[in-house]
Amino acid sequence: MLKLSLHGMPAFLLRILILILFPATLVAQSNNTDAISKALEQLQKSKTEKARLDAFSQLAWLYRKTNTALAEQYSDSTIQLAKRMNDHELYWVGLNSKAEALRLGANFEKALIIHQEALNFSEAKNLMLEKAHSLNNIGLILKRLKNLKDAKDYISRAREVYKSIHDTDGIITTSTNLGNCIIQVEEYPEAIAYYHEVINLATPRNDLSSLGNAYTNIAHCYYYMKNSKKAKDYYYRGLKIREKAGIPMDIVDSYGNYGYMLYEEGNYEAANTYYQQALLLTRPTGDKDNLIDLYSFLADLALAKKDFKSAYYYADSSRIYKDSVINARAVESVNEMNKKFESEKKQLKIEKLSTENAYKEKVNASQRLFLLIVAIALIISLMLGAFVFKLYQEKKTANHIIHSQKESLEEKQKEIIDSISYAKHLQQAILPTDTAINESFPENFVLYKPKDIVAGDFYWLENKQHLKFIAAADCTGHGVPGAMVSVVCSNALHRVVKEFNLIDTGEILNKTRELVLETFTRNNKDVKDGMDISLACFNSNTCELFWSGANNPLWYFQNNALKEITADKQPIGKTDYPKPFTTHRIQLVKGDIFYLFTDGYADQFGGPKGKKLKYKPLKELLTENSQEAPDIQKQKLEKLFNDWKGDLEQVDDVCIIGIKV
């Protein structure tokens, strides 16, 4: 059942939030992560096409809110397999899941096309319940696109179908959605009538969610009608029902609505109590839009009470969340810079090739002309001088043109190199300083050798009291493309630790993967960029090391013996069968040393036969020098690398970190 409720106060949130839920027969609302894990396990263990189809359809729906790319992938798998098995219901489910994933990703036009395809299919196969769902979904998208007339028509058609099959859930849903459409054209009494119909249907069924939404929506109407007394009364009724229902974000919404009514009355203390409760429930969700507005309102409330210290704190908290939104725009700007760079680079190559071809053509023409002159020199000796003079003039002109073009190309090349050099300064800004690393780990070395001016490899540091986080990461590619990916991945790591307050290394990588995929799938293109990483968290109080890895392992020496912990064989990025990352715990003692690294050092070609260095010589060197000071180890690592490479080109970025406890 698709349920919709208007949330928020126009004077407070300046918007109406919409909650949309799918039919109860197709989704489990609680513990989405556990449901995904179970569905993935079911898919891996499935031995029949029916079992695979069920798993595909579940994953398509479960991923729709968190990962648009994976949701589309599993939706397509559902559609293809259901078509082969002639399963009409799950074929429709595949179409609907794909459309909903696109809608939640704000790709409304494509979502509308696929929902229409689902509607046509349900009508052709006489699937009445699915037909009603599709009509309602199309209506909701049209409403989102401000086409309220057609939206009302589609939702009304859906309501009639639900009535014909006696589906009370569907009638409640469409009555709510019709009320929401009518609110936007300011026909409040008609909207209230639809919401009262919801109350009449939901009360005998003890449907607390629908009742809470209906009372809240009626309160919105009275608020817009300037009837504050009735608005406050209905907000309070909705709040009490939602508290019984126990849906956190509905309760947050009601606390905000009722708190705002108290604020308008001048009852600041009571309003503050409700907004503090709303904040307490919202923080764990990470809902940045609500947190920005809650902190902003609390700042205004504190100013009204002349509590300037609290007002500053709340205003600053709101700013911090706004900054995290701005970071996403920064990533888009970097992408635009890269597109411009690639375009100029291609144009430079074209112009250079064109100039070379033109020069060669002129030289060939000159040679043919010279041979012709020699052949007829005895006959037209007088003409020879004219031809030679003409040739000289043409060559002089050509040389002048070539010289001018060469200067132009060199100038453009200098501009590009200057742009990349500036990008290097930007990338260095995301790397921790030597001072910061030394403060966290007094005995350390960092061997960092980018292949180009900018790099795809980076190292990362963060502190949370006695927990010291450090990582060595290898992003897809190197040079400018790799550097752009490193900005996205480094930003994601900072957000996970600072904004989401995660400290378990496995959970940090899980959330980082989610944020990276969210960034790279925003335009619905199949982007496979990501990173391999070795991430450690050192507890300075207990001397414990917690570690997780994506493709890159951990090495450490204990009792003069080299030990290795292998990483999970999956990247931070798109993968066919993503799994939660494993967190490993190692009890270290003073004098132990551990290493984080990428694959660039071992992959370097060189030596007598021009082969890869590989990991064996690296292990041998570290074993021989494990008792040496970290800076001595770094010198010997650099010497081995340079001696092996010789005159050959460096093939990849290099990053090795050594930490002595």
Side-chain angles (χ1 to χ4, degrees):
M1 178 182 67
L2 288 166
K3 294 186 180 179
L4 180 89
S5 175
L6 294 175
H7 302 283
M9 295 296 299
F12 165 44
L13 296 179
L14 299 177
R15 68 178 187 274
I16 297 175
L17 300 175
I18 299 176
L19 297 177
I20 301 179
L21 310 172
F22 190 64
T25 56
L26 295 177
V27 66
Q29 292 295 331
S30 63
N31 208 333
N32 194 58
T33 303
D34 288 344
I36 289 174
S37 298
K38 289 178 181 178
L40 286 170
E41 183 179 356
Q42 177 185 335
L43 179 61
Q44 292 173 347
K45 293 181 178 179
S46 60
K47 297 181 180 180
T48 65
E49 285 196 330
K50 175 60 177 172
R52 290 178 63 231
L53 179 57
D54 290 340
F56 281 145
S57 63
Q58 290 179 48
L59 289 166
W61 186 255
L62 291 169
Y63 273 121
R64 77 195 186 284
K65 290 183 178 179
T66 59
N67 192 318
T68 302
L70 280 177
E72 286 193 70
Q73 177 182 325
Y74 284 117
S75 295
D76 288 336
S77 298
T78 302
I79 293 166
Q80 293 166 12
L81 189 52
K83 183 177 182 180
R84 188 164 72 241
M85 295 179 64
N86 203 30
D87 189 323
H88 300 326
E89 286 81 3
L90 287 183
Y91 182 87
W92 179 89
V93 167
L95 290 172
N96 189 72
S97 297
K98 186 172 184 177
E100 281 299 282
L102 290 165
R103 178 187 66 79
L104 291 168
N107 192 342
F108 299 115
E109 292 183 2
K110 192 172 180 181
L112 199 58
I113 292 171
I114 296 176
H115 268 315
Q116 185 63 53
E117 183 181 349
L119 173 61
N120 295 341
F121 180 80
S122 64
E123 289 178 332
K125 302 301 180 183
N126 199 30
L127 304 173
M128 298 301 291
L129 181 62
E130 287 78 4
K131 174 183 176 180
H133 292 332
S134 292
L135 285 167
N136 189 58
N137 290 338
I138 292 172
L140 292 176
I141 294 178
L142 291 170
K143 175 179 174 291
R144 177 66 176 77
L145 296 174
K146 305 301 182 184
N147 187 349
L148 299 177
K149 182 177 180 298
D150 289 341
K152 184 178 178 182
D153 177 61
Y154 273 93
I155 297 171
S156 296
R157 288 168 60 190
R159 186 164 174 263
E160 292 306 312
V161 177
Y162 283 129
K163 284 184 176 180
S164 72
I165 59 176
H166 308 291
D167 187 315
T168 305
D169 287 338
I171 299 170
I172 289 175
T173 293
T174 47
S175 295
T176 301
N177 292 342
L178 284 169
N180 294 338
C181 282
I182 293 165
I183 277 183
Q184 295 195 20
V185 294
E186 301 182 3
E187 298 292 340
Y188 303 121
E190 185 181 354
I192 290 172
Y194 278 113
Y195 297 137
H196 275 298
E197 180 179 342
V198 172
I199 293 172
N200 293 335
L201 290 171
T203 299
R205 309 167 83 231
N206 198 31
D207 183 351
L208 296 178
S209 177
S210 297
L211 285 169
N213 292 340
Y215 278 108
T216 300
N217 290 335
I218 291 173
H220 290 326
C221 292
Y222 280 122
Y223 182 86
Y224 296 135
M225 294 165 68
K226 310 298 183 184
N227 190 337
S228 297
K229 183 178 180 181
K230 280 194 172 184
K232 181 183 176 185
D233 177 55
Y234 274 94
Y235 279 133
Y236 187 75
R237 293 191 204 182
L239 183 152
K240 290 303 176 184
I241 292 171
R242 284 176 164 181
E243 285 182 334
K244 290 180 182 178
I247 301 173
M249 294 317 296
D250 282 356
I251 298 172
V252 168
D253 176 61
S254 286
Y255 285 161
N257 294 332
Y258 192 66
Y260 186 80
M261 299 306 296
L262 293 169
Y263 171 78
E264 282 198 337
E265 290 178 351
N267 192 347
Y268 299 144
E269 291 300 328
N272 182 67
T273 299
Y274 278 100
Y275 273 94
Q276 291 292 349
Q277 293 177 12
L279 185 62
L280 189 65
L281 289 173
T282 305
R283 278 177 181 149
T285 69
D287 185 338
K288 287 181 285 189
D289 287 332
N290 264 348
L291 287 169
I292 290 170
D293 291 329
L294 282 170
Y295 279 120
S296 178
F297 182 81
L298 283 167
D300 292 341
L301 190 59
L303 284 174
K305 297 192 300 179
K306 301 189 183 303
D307 183 356
F308 301 113
K309 182 178 180 181
S310 296
Y312 174 80
Y313 167 75
Y314 292 130
D316 189 58
S317 298
S318 179
R319 178 193 59 77
I320 289 172
Y321 282 102
K322 286 179 183 177
D323 288 346
S324 70
V325 175
I326 293 171
N327 283 342
R329 295 175 184 167
V331 172
E332 293 177 0
S333 297
V334 173
N335 289 336
E336 288 299 320
M337 286 178 61
N338 182 56
K339 289 178 183 177
K340 183 178 179 181
F341 166 74
E342 291 297 332
S343 176
E344 290 180 353
K345 185 177 178 182
K346 289 179 181 177
Q347 185 61 32
L348 186 62
K349 287 182 178 179
I350 292 170
E351 291 178 2
K352 184 177 180 181
L353 183 61
S354 176
T355 301
E356 290 175 352
N357 289 339
Y359 177 75
K360 289 178 181 178
E361 183 61 30
K362 285 185 177 292
V363 170
N364 290 336
S366 298
Q367 290 174 343
R368 291 193 298 269
L369 181 60
F370 180 76
L371 291 174
L372 178 62
I373 293 173
V374 170
I376 60 173
L378 296 175
I379 304 171
I380 51 172
S381 56
L382 292 176
M383 296 177 65
L384 177 61
F387 275 113
V388 171
F389 179 77
K390 181 180 179 182
L391 178 62
Y392 169 77
Q393 290 293 334
E394 288 179 350
K395 189 172 182 180
K396 183 178 179 181
T397 302
N399 286 337
H400 177 72
I401 294 171
I402 291 170
H403 180 72
S404 299
Q405 291 178 334
K406 181 182 177 183
E407 288 182 342
S408 176
L409 292 175
E410 288 174 347
E411 180 63 23
K412 289 184 178 180
Q413 187 175 32
K414 181 178 181 300
E415 290 176 359
I416 292 173
I417 291 173
D418 289 344
S419 296
I420 297 174
S421 298
Y422 183 73
K424 178 183 179 181
H425 293 297
L426 295 177
Q427 186 182 39
Q428 286 177 335
I430 73 171
L431 297 176
T433 64
D434 293 342
T435 301
I437 297 175
N438 292 334
E439 288 176 355
S440 299
F441 303 99
E443 293 189 76
N444 74 85
F445 75 80
V446 177
L447 176 59
Y448 184 63
K449 297 174 72 69
K451 176 186 182 297
D452 301 310
I453 298 175
V454 290
D457 282 17
F458 70 95
Y459 51 98
W460 175 82
L461 177 76
E462 189 59 68
N463 291 326
K464 297 197 76 170
Q465 297 178 352
H466 60 280
L467 298 179
K468 316 296 182 182
F469 297 88
I470 190 164
D474 180 6
C475 295
T476 306
H478 44 72
V480 173
M484 288 195 306
V485 178
S486 74
V487 171
V488 173
C489 294
S490 176
N491 181 60
L493 285 167
H494 279 296
R495 287 186 60 198
V496 171
V497 175
K498 300 288 284 186
E499 186 177 325
F500 294 93
N501 293 316
L502 297 182
I503 60 174
D504 182 277
T505 55
E507 292 179 1
I508 290 172
L509 294 190
N510 291 334
K511 189 65 178 178
T512 300
R513 173 170 60 193
E514 179 182 329
L515 296 179
V516 169
L517 286 173
E518 178 184 337
T519 300
F520 286 132
T521 57
R522 205 166 281 162
N523 61 0
N524 298 310
K525 292 184 179 179
D526 187 19
V527 179
K528 297 182 179 179
D529 292 315
M531 70 172 169
D532 298 336
I533 188 171
S534 181
L535 170 65
C537 172
F538 180 69
N539 187 326
S540 59
N541 289 345
T542 64
C543 214
E544 293 172 292
L545 183 70
F546 298 90
W547 177 85
S548 297
N551 288 327
N552 289 342
L554 169 72
W555 292 355
Y556 66 101
F557 281 93
Q558 205 166 55
N559 298 324
N560 295 325
L562 175 61
K563 299 181 181 181
E564 177 176 356
I565 299 179
T566 57
D568 291 303
K569 297 302 180 183
Q570 59 179 351
I572 301 297
K574 186 173 182 181
T575 184
D576 291 334
Y577 299 107
K579 301 179 298 184
F581 286 94
T582 307
T583 300
H584 301 271
R585 175 190 170 279
I586 305 102
Q587 181 63 57
L588 300 177
V589 297
K590 186 171 179 59
D592 290 347
I593 187 166
F594 62 92
Y595 302 90
L596 313 174
F597 50 86
T598 62
D599 60 3
Y601 192 100
D603 286 348
Q604 178 60 44
F605 287 95
K609 298 181 179 180
K611 293 185 176 181
K612 280 188 178 182
L613 176 63
K614 297 189 177 179
Y615 288 104
K616 184 179 178 182
L618 176 58
K619 286 183 176 180
E620 291 174 349
L621 185 144
L622 292 176
T623 301
E624 292 170 3
N625 296 278
S626 62
Q627 299 303 312
E628 297 284 357
D631 56 339
I632 300 298
Q633 294 186 33
K634 178 180 178 181
Q635 292 173 15
K636 294 189 176 183
L637 284 169
E638 283 193 285
K639 185 177 186 307
L640 173 61
F641 183 85
N642 292 330
D643 290 346
W644 183 265
K645 181 172 74 71
D647 295 329
L648 295 180
E649 181 182 0
Q650 184 174 330
V651 299
D652 199 359
D653 303 321
V654 172
C655 182
I656 301 179
I657 302 172
I659 305 291
K660 191 170 185 179
V661 177

PDB file of all heavy atoms in Angstrom, residues 210-231:
ATOM      1  N   SER A 210      -1.876   5.470   9.372  1.00  0.00           N
ATOM      2  CA  SER A 210      -2.797   6.251   8.532  1.00  0.00           C
ATOM      3  C   SER A 210      -3.553   7.286   9.353  1.00  0.00           C
ATOM      4  O   SER A 210      -3.777   8.415   8.899  1.00  0.00           O
ATOM      5  CB  SER A 210      -3.782   5.318   7.835  1.00  0.00           C
ATOM      6  OG  SER A 210      -3.115   4.442   6.960  1.00  0.00           O
ATOM      7  N   LEU A 211      -3.955   6.923  10.578  1.00  0.00           N
ATOM      8  CA  LEU A 211      -4.673   7.873  11.430  1.00  0.00           C
ATOM      9  C   LEU A 211      -3.779   9.060  11.790  1.00  0.00           C
ATOM     10  O   LEU A 211      -4.211  10.220  11.727  1.00  0.00           O
ATOM     11  CB  LEU A 211      -5.141   7.168  12.707  1.00  0.00           C
ATOM     12  CG  LEU A 211      -6.351   6.237  12.559  1.00  0.00           C
ATOM     13  CD1 LEU A 211      -6.545   5.415  13.820  1.00  0.00           C
ATOM     14  CD2 LEU A 211      -7.611   7.029  12.240  1.00  0.00           C
ATOM     15  N   GLY A 212      -2.535   8.773  12.160  1.00  0.00           N
ATOM     16  CA  GLY A 212      -1.624   9.858  12.505  1.00  0.00           C
ATOM     17  C   GLY A 212      -1.403  10.801  11.339  1.00  0.00           C
ATOM     18  O   GLY A 212      -1.394  12.029  11.505  1.00  0.00           O
ATOM     19  N   ASN A 213      -1.244  10.238  10.133  1.00  0.00           N
ATOM     20  CA  ASN A 213      -1.053  11.078   8.942  1.00  0.00           C
ATOM     21  C   ASN A 213      -2.300  11.915   8.658  1.00  0.00           C
ATOM     22  O   ASN A 213      -2.214  13.100   8.311  1.00  0.00           O
ATOM     23  CB  ASN A 213      -0.721  10.213   7.737  1.00  0.00           C
ATOM     24  CG  ASN A 213       0.631   9.554   7.855  1.00  0.00           C
ATOM     25  OD1 ASN A 213       1.475   9.996   8.616  1.00  0.00           O
ATOM     26  ND2 ASN A 213       0.845   8.489   7.096  1.00  0.00           N
ATOM     27  N   ALA A 214      -3.481  11.301   8.788  1.00  0.00           N
ATOM     28  CA  ALA A 214      -4.725  12.007   8.466  1.00  0.00           C
ATOM     29  C   ALA A 214      -4.935  13.198   9.407  1.00  0.00           C
ATOM     30  O   ALA A 214      -5.255  14.312   8.969  1.00  0.00           O
ATOM     31  CB  ALA A 214      -5.902  11.044   8.538  1.00  0.00           C
ATOM     32  N   TYR A 215      -4.784  12.964  10.723  1.00  0.00           N
ATOM     33  CA  TYR A 215      -4.959  14.074  11.679  1.00  0.00           C
ATOM     34  C   TYR A 215      -3.937  15.181  11.423  1.00  0.00           C
ATOM     35  O   TYR A 215      -4.251  16.371  11.497  1.00  0.00           O
ATOM     36  CB  TYR A 215      -4.828  13.552  13.107  1.00  0.00           C
ATOM     37  CG  TYR A 215      -6.107  12.924  13.639  1.00  0.00           C
ATOM     38  CD1 TYR A 215      -6.209  11.546  13.807  1.00  0.00           C
ATOM     39  CD2 TYR A 215      -7.213  13.713  13.969  1.00  0.00           C
ATOM     40  CE1 TYR A 215      -7.379  10.956  14.289  1.00  0.00           C
ATOM     41  CE2 TYR A 215      -8.387  13.143  14.447  1.00  0.00           C
ATOM     42  CZ  TYR A 215      -8.473  11.757  14.605  1.00  0.00           C
ATOM     43  OH  TYR A 215      -9.614  11.198  15.063  1.00  0.00           O
ATOM     44  N   THR A 216      -2.707  14.793  11.088  1.00  0.00           N
ATOM     45  CA  THR A 216      -1.670  15.791  10.812  1.00  0.00           C
ATOM     46  C   THR A 216      -2.003  16.593   9.561  1.00  0.00           C
ATOM     47  O   THR A 216      -1.839  17.826   9.527  1.00  0.00           O
ATOM     48  CB  THR A 216      -0.307  15.100  10.648  1.00  0.00           C
ATOM     49  OG1 THR A 216       0.013  14.402  11.845  1.00  0.00           O
ATOM     50  CG2 THR A 216       0.792  16.112  10.357  1.00  0.00           C
ATOM     51  N   ASN A 217      -2.498  15.924   8.519  1.00  0.00           N
ATOM     52  CA  ASN A 217      -2.845  16.631   7.281  1.00  0.00           C
ATOM     53  C   ASN A 217      -4.028  17.572   7.481  1.00  0.00           C
ATOM     54  O   ASN A 217      -4.080  18.661   6.899  1.00  0.00           O
ATOM     55  CB  ASN A 217      -3.139  15.620   6.179  1.00  0.00           C
ATOM     56  CG  ASN A 217      -1.895  14.900   5.716  1.00  0.00           C
ATOM     57  OD1 ASN A 217      -0.791  15.418   5.837  1.00  0.00           O
ATOM     58  ND2 ASN A 217      -2.049  13.694   5.200  1.00  0.00           N
ATOM     59  N   ILE A 218      -5.004  17.143   8.298  1.00  0.00           N
ATOM     60  CA  ILE A 218      -6.132  18.044   8.608  1.00  0.00           C
ATOM     61  C   ILE A 218      -5.607  19.278   9.339  1.00  0.00           C
ATOM     62  O   ILE A 218      -6.034  20.415   9.072  1.00  0.00           O
ATOM     63  CB  ILE A 218      -7.185  17.303   9.458  1.00  0.00           C
ATOM     64  CG1 ILE A 218      -7.883  16.226   8.606  1.00  0.00           C
ATOM     65  CG2 ILE A 218      -8.221  18.292   9.998  1.00  0.00           C
ATOM     66  CD1 ILE A 218      -8.806  15.332   9.402  1.00  0.00           C
ATOM     67  N   ALA A 219      -4.665  19.068  10.244  1.00  0.00           N
ATOM     68  CA  ALA A 219      -4.070  20.199  10.961  1.00  0.00           C
ATOM     69  C   ALA A 219      -3.393  21.170   9.995  1.00  0.00           C
ATOM     70  O   ALA A 219      -3.496  22.391  10.144  1.00  0.00           O
ATOM     71  CB  ALA A 219      -3.056  19.683  11.990  1.00  0.00           C
ATOM     72  N   HIS A 220      -2.681  20.611   8.972  1.00  0.00           N
ATOM     73  CA  HIS A 220      -2.076  21.483   7.953  1.00  0.00           C
ATOM     74  C   HIS A 220      -3.146  22.378   7.323  1.00  0.00           C
ATOM     75  O   HIS A 220      -2.951  23.585   7.139  1.00  0.00           O
ATOM     76  CB  HIS A 220      -1.418  20.644   6.858  1.00  0.00           C
ATOM     77  CG  HIS A 220      -0.180  19.925   7.279  1.00  0.00           C
ATOM     78  ND1 HIS A 220       0.711  20.433   8.186  1.00  0.00           N
ATOM     79  CD2 HIS A 220       0.314  18.718   6.890  1.00  0.00           C
ATOM     80  CE1 HIS A 220       1.704  19.586   8.357  1.00  0.00           C
ATOM     81  NE2 HIS A 220       1.496  18.523   7.584  1.00  0.00           N
ATOM     82  N   CYS A 221      -4.263  21.764   6.964  1.00  0.00           N
ATOM     83  CA  CYS A 221      -5.329  22.527   6.291  1.00  0.00           C
ATOM     84  C   CYS A 221      -5.813  23.669   7.182  1.00  0.00           C
ATOM     85  O   CYS A 221      -5.957  24.816   6.726  1.00  0.00           O
ATOM     86  CB  CYS A 221      -6.489  21.602   5.937  1.00  0.00           C
ATOM     87  SG  CYS A 221      -6.106  20.385   4.667  1.00  0.00           S
ATOM     88  N   TYR A 222      -6.075  23.364   8.442  1.00  0.00           N
ATOM     89  CA  TYR A 222      -6.559  24.416   9.342  1.00  0.00           C
ATOM     90  C   TYR A 222      -5.489  25.497   9.541  1.00  0.00           C
ATOM     91  O   TYR A 222      -5.809  26.685   9.695  1.00  0.00           O
ATOM     92  CB  TYR A 222      -6.966  23.816  10.686  1.00  0.00           C
ATOM     93  CG  TYR A 222      -8.355  23.168  10.636  1.00  0.00           C
ATOM     94  CD1 TYR A 222      -8.519  21.829  10.959  1.00  0.00           C
ATOM     95  CD2 TYR A 222      -9.476  23.913  10.266  1.00  0.00           C
ATOM     96  CE1 TYR A 222      -9.769  21.224  10.913  1.00  0.00           C
ATOM     97  CE2 TYR A 222     -10.735  23.329  10.213  1.00  0.00           C
ATOM     98  CZ  TYR A 222     -10.879  21.977  10.533  1.00  0.00           C
ATOM     99  OH  TYR A 222     -12.105  21.401  10.468  1.00  0.00           O
ATOM    100  N   TYR A 223      -4.233  25.095   9.541  1.00  0.00           N
ATOM    101  CA  TYR A 223      -3.170  26.092   9.672  1.00  0.00           C
ATOM    102  C   TYR A 223      -3.188  27.050   8.485  1.00  0.00           C
ATOM    103  O   TYR A 223      -3.098  28.270   8.652  1.00  0.00           O
ATOM    104  CB  TYR A 223      -1.816  25.406   9.781  1.00  0.00           C
ATOM    105  CG  TYR A 223      -0.681  26.387   9.969  1.00  0.00           C
ATOM    106  CD1 TYR A 223      -0.329  26.844  11.228  1.00  0.00           C
ATOM    107  CD2 TYR A 223       0.022  26.884   8.870  1.00  0.00           C
ATOM    108  CE1 TYR A 223       0.690  27.754  11.403  1.00  0.00           C
ATOM    109  CE2 TYR A 223       1.042  27.806   9.040  1.00  0.00           C
ATOM    110  CZ  TYR A 223       1.375  28.229  10.309  1.00  0.00           C
ATOM    111  OH  TYR A 223       2.379  29.138  10.464  1.00  0.00           O
ATOM    112  N   TYR A 224      -3.321  26.488   7.270  1.00  0.00           N
ATOM    113  CA  TYR A 224      -3.374  27.333   6.080  1.00  0.00           C
ATOM    114  C   TYR A 224      -4.636  28.203   6.061  1.00  0.00           C
ATOM    115  O   TYR A 224      -4.656  29.273   5.459  1.00  0.00           O
ATOM    116  CB  TYR A 224      -3.333  26.476   4.820  1.00  0.00           C
ATOM    117  CG  TYR A 224      -2.057  25.711   4.640  1.00  0.00           C
ATOM    118  CD1 TYR A 224      -2.081  24.359   4.266  1.00  0.00           C
ATOM    119  CD2 TYR A 224      -0.822  26.306   4.841  1.00  0.00           C
ATOM    120  CE1 TYR A 224      -0.897  23.636   4.107  1.00  0.00           C
ATOM    121  CE2 TYR A 224       0.354  25.604   4.685  1.00  0.00           C
ATOM    122  CZ  TYR A 224       0.312  24.269   4.325  1.00  0.00           C
ATOM    123  OH  TYR A 224       1.465  23.557   4.168  1.00  0.00           O
ATOM    124  N   MET A 225      -5.697  27.706   6.730  1.00  0.00           N
ATOM    125  CA  MET A 225      -6.957  28.466   6.788  1.00  0.00           C
ATOM    126  C   MET A 225      -6.937  29.490   7.929  1.00  0.00           C
ATOM    127  O   MET A 225      -7.960  30.089   8.243  1.00  0.00           O
ATOM    128  CB  MET A 225      -8.129  27.498   6.960  1.00  0.00           C
ATOM    129  CG  MET A 225      -8.362  26.581   5.756  1.00  0.00           C
ATOM    130  SD  MET A 225      -9.446  25.169   6.108  1.00  0.00           S
ATOM    131  CE  MET A 225     -11.017  26.008   6.367  1.00  0.00           C
ATOM    132  N   LYS A 226      -5.771  29.662   8.588  1.00  0.00           N
ATOM    133  CA  LYS A 226      -5.576  30.653   9.664  1.00  0.00           C
ATOM    134  C   LYS A 226      -6.369  30.299  10.928  1.00  0.00           C
ATOM    135  O   LYS A 226      -6.636  31.175  11.759  1.00  0.00           O
ATOM    136  CB  LYS A 226      -5.961  32.072   9.206  1.00  0.00           C
ATOM    137  CG  LYS A 226      -5.344  32.508   7.890  1.00  0.00           C
ATOM    138  CD  LYS A 226      -3.837  32.547   7.963  1.00  0.00           C
ATOM    139  CE  LYS A 226      -3.242  33.062   6.654  1.00  0.00           C
ATOM    140  NZ  LYS A 226      -1.766  33.029   6.668  1.00  0.00           N
ATOM    141  N   ASN A 227      -6.745  29.024  11.090  1.00  0.00           N
ATOM    142  CA  ASN A 227      -7.470  28.590  12.286  1.00  0.00           C
ATOM    143  C   ASN A 227      -6.469  27.877  13.200  1.00  0.00           C
ATOM    144  O   ASN A 227      -6.390  26.646  13.239  1.00  0.00           O
ATOM    145  CB  ASN A 227      -8.629  27.659  11.906  1.00  0.00           C
ATOM    146  CG  ASN A 227      -9.555  27.388  13.087  1.00  0.00           C
ATOM    147  OD1 ASN A 227      -9.167  27.506  14.245  1.00  0.00           O
ATOM    148  ND2 ASN A 227     -10.800  27.024  12.784  1.00  0.00           N
ATOM    149  N   SER A 228      -5.668  28.654  13.936  1.00  0.00           N
ATOM    150  CA  SER A 228      -4.584  28.097  14.735  1.00  0.00           C
ATOM    151  C   SER A 228      -5.088  27.185  15.843  1.00  0.00           C
ATOM    152  O   SER A 228      -4.430  26.186  16.190  1.00  0.00           O
ATOM    153  CB  SER A 228      -3.748  29.223  15.355  1.00  0.00           C
ATOM    154  OG  SER A 228      -3.135  29.988  14.348  1.00  0.00           O
ATOM    155  N   LYS A 229      -6.240  27.495  16.413  1.00  0.00           N
ATOM    156  CA  LYS A 229      -6.760  26.677  17.516  1.00  0.00           C
ATOM    157  C   LYS A 229      -7.040  25.257  17.055  1.00  0.00           C
ATOM    158  O   LYS A 229      -6.618  24.281  17.687  1.00  0.00           O
ATOM    159  CB  LYS A 229      -8.025  27.320  18.076  1.00  0.00           C
ATOM    160  CG  LYS A 229      -8.599  26.571  19.278  1.00  0.00           C
ATOM    161  CD  LYS A 229      -9.831  27.281  19.839  1.00  0.00           C
ATOM    162  CE  LYS A 229     -10.398  26.519  21.035  1.00  0.00           C
ATOM    163  NZ  LYS A 229     -11.616  27.180  21.583  1.00  0.00           N
ATOM    164  N   LYS A 230      -7.761  25.122  15.930  1.00  0.00           N
ATOM    165  CA  LYS A 230      -8.053  23.783  15.418  1.00  0.00           C
ATOM    166  C   LYS A 230      -6.789  23.100  14.910  1.00  0.00           C
ATOM    167  O   LYS A 230      -6.626  21.882  15.042  1.00  0.00           O
ATOM    168  CB  LYS A 230      -9.101  23.854  14.299  1.00  0.00           C
ATOM    169  CG  LYS A 230     -10.522  23.974  14.806  1.00  0.00           C
ATOM    170  CD  LYS A 230     -11.529  23.689  13.691  1.00  0.00           C
ATOM    171  CE  LYS A 230     -12.939  23.616  14.242  1.00  0.00           C
ATOM    172  NZ  LYS A 230     -13.929  23.255  13.195  1.00  0.00           N
ATOM    173  N   ALA A 231      -5.906  23.869  14.303  1.00  0.00           N
ATOM    174  CA  ALA A 231      -4.657  23.285  13.813  1.00  0.00           C
ATOM    175  C   ALA A 231      -3.879  22.674  14.966  1.00  0.00           C
ATOM    176  O   ALA A 231      -3.404  21.529  14.886  1.00  0.00           O
ATOM    177  CB  ALA A 231      -3.817  24.347  13.114  1.00  0.00           C
TER     178      ALA A 231
END
